[in-house]
């Protein structure tokens, strides 16, 4: 039986967070580290990854680096095999890496569509599969997929992103259907509009900024560190009987018309 004190303790666990050299992924990685987990940072830019890892190590955290592009299946497989050789077991996987593309569907090239789907959705399947192969024999594991408001609703000009994030919601349910009995809890987080580099152009657009603040009951953009509570909960013993869910951290946007 887990004590109340231990419900959110990640000591002794190792978490791989994709796309964690900056942005939301980096914030969630830091939160997991502060809860006691060793962290595997991931990115495709070696300089940025090394710098981010150095910052976390300077704060006293245990940090490993996994340099790979989440759309490169061979590189993903090699990264997991490298972790195996080092005796590093992934107890927690946060599928965070993603990109955005804004363009009307009639102007969207098929290759542009594929790039967003491969980065946001297919990567979560491939990395989730490789993690689960190793979690299943151990009889435990946590997978947290990062969805979006667009896991449930749509906006014009972001069709491939919307489809990919809707797919993340259903991928999470598919993981639950196959892996829950193996001791793996798969859930998702749906961030609202967050202050990130990817959203900076929208933040700087007065009309869009006004729309976000007017549409969100909290009347503001979210901060990356406001995802930490949800990711720690879904990675910790506190969520051992939570499976197949998506928690929206959106300031109440989806709750109102």
């Amino acid at each position: 039986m887990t004590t109340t004190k231990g419900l959110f303790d990640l000591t002794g666990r190792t978490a791989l967070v994709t796309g964690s050299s900056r942005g939301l992924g980096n914030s969630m990685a830091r939160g997991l580290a502060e809860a006691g987990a060793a962290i595997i940072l991931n990115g495709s830019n070696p300089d940025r990854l090394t710098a981010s890892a150095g910052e976390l190590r300077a704060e006293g955290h245990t940090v490993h680096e996994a340099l790979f592009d989440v759309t490169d299946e061979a590189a993903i497989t090699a990264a997991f095999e490298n972790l195996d050789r080092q005796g590093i077991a992934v107890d927690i996987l946060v599928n965070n890496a993603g990109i955005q593309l804004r363009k009307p569907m009639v102007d969207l090239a098929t290759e542009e569509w594929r790039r967003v789907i491969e980065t946001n959705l297919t990567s979560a399947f491939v990395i989730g599969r490789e993690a689960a192969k190793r979690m299943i024999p151990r009889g435990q594991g946590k997978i947290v997929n990062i969805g979006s408001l667009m896991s449930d609703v749509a906006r014009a000009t972001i069709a491939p992103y919307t489809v990919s994030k809707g797919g993340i919601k259903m991928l999470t349910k598919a993981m639950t259907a196959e892996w829950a009995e193996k001791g793996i809890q798969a859930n998702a987080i749906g961030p609202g509009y967050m202050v990130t580099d990817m959203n900076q152009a929208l933040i700087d657009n007065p009309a869009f900024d006004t729309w976000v603040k007017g549409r969100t009951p909290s009347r503001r953009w979210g901060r990356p560190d406001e995802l930490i509570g949800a990711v720690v909960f879904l990675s910790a013993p506190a969520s051992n009987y939570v499976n197949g869910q998506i928690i929206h951290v959106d300031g109440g946007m989806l709750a109102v018309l």
Side-chain angles (χ1 to χ4, degrees), residues 123-141:
S123 71
F125 157 67
V126 175
I127 298 169
R129 181 192 66 198
E130 293 306 306
K133 285 179 180 179
R134 293 154 172 86
M135 291 173 176
I136 288 170
R138 302 197 301 268
Q140 62 180 17

PDB file of all heavy atoms in Angstrom, residues 123-141:
ATOM      1  N   SER A 123       5.156   9.284 -34.120  1.00  0.00           N
ATOM      2  CA  SER A 123       6.279   9.188 -33.180  1.00  0.00           C
ATOM      3  C   SER A 123       5.810   8.683 -31.818  1.00  0.00           C
ATOM      4  O   SER A 123       6.511   7.893 -31.167  1.00  0.00           O
ATOM      5  CB  SER A 123       6.963  10.538 -33.019  1.00  0.00           C
ATOM      6  OG  SER A 123       6.160  11.457 -32.295  1.00  0.00           O
ATOM      7  N   ALA A 124       4.633   9.124 -31.382  1.00  0.00           N
ATOM      8  CA  ALA A 124       4.115   8.679 -30.078  1.00  0.00           C
ATOM      9  C   ALA A 124       3.817   7.185 -30.103  1.00  0.00           C
ATOM     10  O   ALA A 124       4.029   6.481 -29.096  1.00  0.00           O
ATOM     11  CB  ALA A 124       2.862   9.470 -29.715  1.00  0.00           C
ATOM     12  N   PHE A 125       3.335   6.687 -31.241  1.00  0.00           N
ATOM     13  CA  PHE A 125       3.112   5.250 -31.376  1.00  0.00           C
ATOM     14  C   PHE A 125       4.433   4.483 -31.336  1.00  0.00           C
ATOM     15  O   PHE A 125       4.585   3.514 -30.586  1.00  0.00           O
ATOM     16  CB  PHE A 125       2.385   4.947 -32.687  1.00  0.00           C
ATOM     17  CG  PHE A 125       2.602   3.540 -33.181  1.00  0.00           C
ATOM     18  CD1 PHE A 125       2.104   2.453 -32.480  1.00  0.00           C
ATOM     19  CD2 PHE A 125       3.359   3.299 -34.323  1.00  0.00           C
ATOM     20  CE1 PHE A 125       2.343   1.149 -32.911  1.00  0.00           C
ATOM     21  CE2 PHE A 125       3.597   2.007 -34.763  1.00  0.00           C
ATOM     22  CZ  PHE A 125       3.083   0.930 -34.051  1.00  0.00           C
ATOM     23  N   VAL A 126       5.400   4.909 -32.144  1.00  0.00           N
ATOM     24  CA  VAL A 126       6.669   4.175 -32.244  1.00  0.00           C
ATOM     25  C   VAL A 126       7.415   4.192 -30.908  1.00  0.00           C
ATOM     26  O   VAL A 126       7.877   3.154 -30.418  1.00  0.00           O
ATOM     27  CB  VAL A 126       7.552   4.752 -33.366  1.00  0.00           C
ATOM     28  CG1 VAL A 126       8.921   4.068 -33.376  1.00  0.00           C
ATOM     29  CG2 VAL A 126       6.871   4.578 -34.719  1.00  0.00           C
ATOM     30  N   ILE A 127       7.546   5.365 -30.304  1.00  0.00           N
ATOM     31  CA  ILE A 127       8.266   5.466 -29.038  1.00  0.00           C
ATOM     32  C   ILE A 127       7.489   4.763 -27.931  1.00  0.00           C
ATOM     33  O   ILE A 127       8.074   4.074 -27.085  1.00  0.00           O
ATOM     34  CB  ILE A 127       8.533   6.943 -28.693  1.00  0.00           C
ATOM     35  CG1 ILE A 127       9.420   7.562 -29.776  1.00  0.00           C
ATOM     36  CG2 ILE A 127       9.200   7.070 -27.325  1.00  0.00           C
ATOM     37  CD1 ILE A 127       9.538   9.071 -29.694  1.00  0.00           C
ATOM     38  N   GLY A 128       6.162   4.892 -27.957  1.00  0.00           N
ATOM     39  CA  GLY A 128       5.341   4.180 -26.981  1.00  0.00           C
ATOM     40  C   GLY A 128       5.480   2.673 -27.107  1.00  0.00           C
ATOM     41  O   GLY A 128       5.552   1.950 -26.102  1.00  0.00           O
ATOM     42  N   ARG A 129       5.532   2.187 -28.333  1.00  0.00           N
ATOM     43  CA  ARG A 129       5.712   0.739 -28.570  1.00  0.00           C
ATOM     44  C   ARG A 129       7.037   0.261 -28.003  1.00  0.00           C
ATOM     45  O   ARG A 129       7.089  -0.773 -27.310  1.00  0.00           O
ATOM     46  CB  ARG A 129       5.659   0.471 -30.070  1.00  0.00           C
ATOM     47  CG  ARG A 129       5.819  -0.998 -30.465  1.00  0.00           C
ATOM     48  CD  ARG A 129       6.038  -1.120 -31.957  1.00  0.00           C
ATOM     49  NE  ARG A 129       7.314  -0.517 -32.370  1.00  0.00           N
ATOM     50  CZ  ARG A 129       7.602  -0.178 -33.626  1.00  0.00           C
ATOM     51  NH1 ARG A 129       6.716  -0.340 -34.589  1.00  0.00           N
ATOM     52  NH2 ARG A 129       8.791   0.343 -33.914  1.00  0.00           N
ATOM     53  N   GLU A 130       8.122   1.000 -28.280  1.00  0.00           N
ATOM     54  CA  GLU A 130       9.435   0.587 -27.788  1.00  0.00           C
ATOM     55  C   GLU A 130       9.499   0.635 -26.259  1.00  0.00           C
ATOM     56  O   GLU A 130      10.107  -0.242 -25.633  1.00  0.00           O
ATOM     57  CB  GLU A 130      10.526   1.455 -28.410  1.00  0.00           C
ATOM     58  CG  GLU A 130      10.698   1.266 -29.903  1.00  0.00           C
ATOM     59  CD  GLU A 130      10.910  -0.192 -30.279  1.00  0.00           C
ATOM     60  OE1 GLU A 130      11.824  -0.826 -29.717  1.00  0.00           O
ATOM     61  OE2 GLU A 130      10.151  -0.696 -31.121  1.00  0.00           O
ATOM     62  N   ALA A 131       8.871   1.640 -25.664  1.00  0.00           N
ATOM     63  CA  ALA A 131       8.841   1.713 -24.202  1.00  0.00           C
ATOM     64  C   ALA A 131       8.026   0.571 -23.624  1.00  0.00           C
ATOM     65  O   ALA A 131       8.437  -0.077 -22.649  1.00  0.00           O
ATOM     66  CB  ALA A 131       8.268   3.058 -23.757  1.00  0.00           C
ATOM     67  N   ALA A 132       6.878   0.295 -24.223  1.00  0.00           N
ATOM     68  CA  ALA A 132       5.999  -0.749 -23.700  1.00  0.00           C
ATOM     69  C   ALA A 132       6.634  -2.134 -23.793  1.00  0.00           C
ATOM     70  O   ALA A 132       6.429  -2.977 -22.910  1.00  0.00           O
ATOM     71  CB  ALA A 132       4.668  -0.734 -24.450  1.00  0.00           C
ATOM     72  N   LYS A 133       7.412  -2.377 -24.837  1.00  0.00           N
ATOM     73  CA  LYS A 133       8.106  -3.663 -24.957  1.00  0.00           C
ATOM     74  C   LYS A 133       8.967  -3.942 -23.727  1.00  0.00           C
ATOM     75  O   LYS A 133       9.155  -5.107 -23.342  1.00  0.00           O
ATOM     76  CB  LYS A 133       8.994  -3.673 -26.206  1.00  0.00           C
ATOM     77  CG  LYS A 133       8.261  -3.820 -27.522  1.00  0.00           C
ATOM     78  CD  LYS A 133       9.269  -3.787 -28.668  1.00  0.00           C
ATOM     79  CE  LYS A 133       8.590  -3.922 -30.015  1.00  0.00           C
ATOM     80  NZ  LYS A 133       9.577  -3.857 -31.136  1.00  0.00           N
ATOM     81  N   ARG A 134       9.472  -2.887 -23.134  1.00  0.00           N
ATOM     82  CA  ARG A 134      10.353  -3.029 -21.979  1.00  0.00           C
ATOM     83  C   ARG A 134       9.591  -2.914 -20.658  1.00  0.00           C
ATOM     84  O   ARG A 134      10.008  -3.484 -19.649  1.00  0.00           O
ATOM     85  CB  ARG A 134      11.458  -1.973 -22.069  1.00  0.00           C
ATOM     86  CG  ARG A 134      12.400  -2.237 -23.248  1.00  0.00           C
ATOM     87  CD  ARG A 134      13.072  -0.971 -23.758  1.00  0.00           C
ATOM     88  NE  ARG A 134      14.100  -1.280 -24.760  1.00  0.00           N
ATOM     89  CZ  ARG A 134      13.847  -1.437 -26.067  1.00  0.00           C
ATOM     90  NH1 ARG A 134      12.613  -1.324 -26.530  1.00  0.00           N
ATOM     91  NH2 ARG A 134      14.840  -1.726 -26.908  1.00  0.00           N
ATOM     92  N   MET A 135       8.485  -2.180 -20.665  1.00  0.00           N
ATOM     93  CA  MET A 135       7.671  -2.051 -19.459  1.00  0.00           C
ATOM     94  C   MET A 135       6.885  -3.324 -19.158  1.00  0.00           C
ATOM     95  O   MET A 135       6.725  -3.715 -17.995  1.00  0.00           O
ATOM     96  CB  MET A 135       6.689  -0.881 -19.610  1.00  0.00           C
ATOM     97  CG  MET A 135       7.322   0.496 -19.633  1.00  0.00           C
ATOM     98  SD  MET A 135       6.073   1.782 -20.022  1.00  0.00           S
ATOM     99  CE  MET A 135       7.059   3.277 -19.852  1.00  0.00           C
ATOM    100  N   ILE A 136       6.378  -3.979 -20.196  1.00  0.00           N
ATOM    101  CA  ILE A 136       5.512  -5.145 -20.009  1.00  0.00           C
ATOM    102  C   ILE A 136       6.198  -6.256 -19.208  1.00  0.00           C
ATOM    103  O   ILE A 136       5.599  -6.791 -18.260  1.00  0.00           O
ATOM    104  CB  ILE A 136       4.989  -5.652 -21.374  1.00  0.00           C
ATOM    105  CG1 ILE A 136       3.948  -4.650 -21.921  1.00  0.00           C
ATOM    106  CG2 ILE A 136       4.370  -7.039 -21.252  1.00  0.00           C
ATOM    107  CD1 ILE A 136       3.529  -4.912 -23.353  1.00  0.00           C
ATOM    108  N   PRO A 137       7.436  -6.633 -19.522  1.00  0.00           N
ATOM    109  CA  PRO A 137       8.084  -7.674 -18.708  1.00  0.00           C
ATOM    110  C   PRO A 137       8.263  -7.268 -17.239  1.00  0.00           C
ATOM    111  O   PRO A 137       8.308  -8.144 -16.367  1.00  0.00           O
ATOM    112  CB  PRO A 137       9.446  -7.876 -19.385  1.00  0.00           C
ATOM    113  CG  PRO A 137       9.247  -7.410 -20.792  1.00  0.00           C
ATOM    114  CD  PRO A 137       8.295  -6.263 -20.673  1.00  0.00           C
ATOM    115  N   ARG A 138       8.371  -5.968 -16.979  1.00  0.00           N
ATOM    116  CA  ARG A 138       8.517  -5.498 -15.604  1.00  0.00           C
ATOM    117  C   ARG A 138       7.179  -5.364 -14.885  1.00  0.00           C
ATOM    118  O   ARG A 138       7.132  -5.179 -13.672  1.00  0.00           O
ATOM    119  CB  ARG A 138       9.255  -4.143 -15.577  1.00  0.00           C
ATOM    120  CG  ARG A 138      10.636  -4.169 -16.210  1.00  0.00           C
ATOM    121  CD  ARG A 138      11.472  -2.961 -15.802  1.00  0.00           C
ATOM    122  NE  ARG A 138      10.873  -1.697 -16.173  1.00  0.00           N
ATOM    123  CZ  ARG A 138      11.105  -1.037 -17.310  1.00  0.00           C
ATOM    124  NH1 ARG A 138      11.927  -1.581 -18.217  1.00  0.00           N
ATOM    125  NH2 ARG A 138      10.545   0.122 -17.548  1.00  0.00           N
ATOM    126  N   GLY A 139       6.094  -5.392 -15.660  1.00  0.00           N
ATOM    127  CA  GLY A 139       4.758  -5.336 -15.071  1.00  0.00           C
ATOM    128  C   GLY A 139       4.335  -3.965 -14.598  1.00  0.00           C
ATOM    129  O   GLY A 139       3.363  -3.845 -13.843  1.00  0.00           O
ATOM    130  N   GLN A 140       5.007  -2.917 -15.068  1.00  0.00           N
ATOM    131  CA  GLN A 140       4.611  -1.571 -14.676  1.00  0.00           C
ATOM    132  C   GLN A 140       5.200  -0.528 -15.612  1.00  0.00           C
ATOM    133  O   GLN A 140       6.228  -0.768 -16.254  1.00  0.00           O
ATOM    134  CB  GLN A 140       5.055  -1.253 -13.247  1.00  0.00           C
ATOM    135  CG  GLN A 140       6.560  -1.270 -13.032  1.00  0.00           C
ATOM    136  CD  GLN A 140       6.937  -0.950 -11.588  1.00  0.00           C
ATOM    137  OE1 GLN A 140       6.116  -1.008 -10.682  1.00  0.00           O
ATOM    138  NE2 GLN A 140       8.196  -0.606 -11.380  1.00  0.00           N
ATOM    139  N   GLY A 141       4.542   0.614 -15.687  1.00  0.00           N
ATOM    140  CA  GLY A 141       5.032   1.715 -16.508  1.00  0.00           C
ATOM    141  C   GLY A 141       3.975   2.793 -16.625  1.00  0.00           C
ATOM    142  O   GLY A 141       2.784   2.547 -16.410  1.00  0.00           O
TER     143      GLY A 141
END
